[in-house]
Amino acid sequence: MKTLNPLTKKIWAVAALLFLGLGTLQAETNSHETNLERPLKVEEISIEISERIPTIILVDKNLEIVAQFYGNTEEVKLKFKDTFQKSEKLIEHNGQKIYLLTN
């Protein structure tokens, strides 16, 4: 039986690897094409975020939030009259007021 010289063995090995590599590449390409041809399932998701913004915020001298009030500003001020007598309005923006406690 005749044995192949080392150069011929290398050529056959490279040819075999190329053949197997191209076949694998073709198979991967075909699988991607079939995935793209399938219709996509679309789901509709609805998320409701109900984040209420406080109408009045009380802060201390370090600007740390002490209390947050929700609802009508005048009603809150009447209910907590003593607290608001000891505070000063710092800022008002879009209906939201921030008061500094001065006690």
Side-chain angles (χ1 to χ4, degrees):
M1 179 173 190
K2 184 177 177 186
T3 60
L4 298 174
N5 67 22
L7 181 59
T8 308
K9 285 182 182 179
K10 287 181 184 177
I11 291 172
W12 278 107
V14 169
L17 287 174
L18 280 173
F19 179 74
L20 292 173
L22 290 176
T24 304
L25 181 62
Q26 182 64 35
E28 287 178 6
T29 304
N30 289 341
S31 68
H32 289 304
E33 288 173 1
T34 55
N35 286 339
L36 294 175
E37 292 172 0
R38 283 190 235 151
L40 297 175
K41 182 178 179 183
V42 178
E43 293 183 20
E44 188 173 321
I45 298 174
S46 176
I47 299 174
E48 291 183 30
I49 299 174
S50 176
E51 185 175 319
R52 293 181 55 195
I53 298 174
T55 52
I56 298 176
I57 299 174
L58 290 177
V59 295
D60 63 9
K61 64 181 180 180
N62 298 319
L63 298 179
E64 293 179 4
I65 296 175
V66 176
Q68 295 179 346
F69 298 97
Y70 299 86
N72 185 314
T73 303
E74 295 306 316
E75 290 177 10
V76 170
K77 283 180 154 183
L78 284 174
K79 191 171 184 177
F80 299 97
K81 188 176 182 178
D82 294 337
T83 303
F84 285 99
Q85 286 177 347
K86 300 174 189 173
S87 64
E88 294 181 31
K89 187 185 338 181
L90 289 178
I91 191 167
E92 181 176 353
H93 181 69
N94 288 339
Q96 188 177 29
K97 299 174 184 174
I98 299 178
Y99 286 83
L100 174 66
L101 289 174
T102 57
N103 54 346

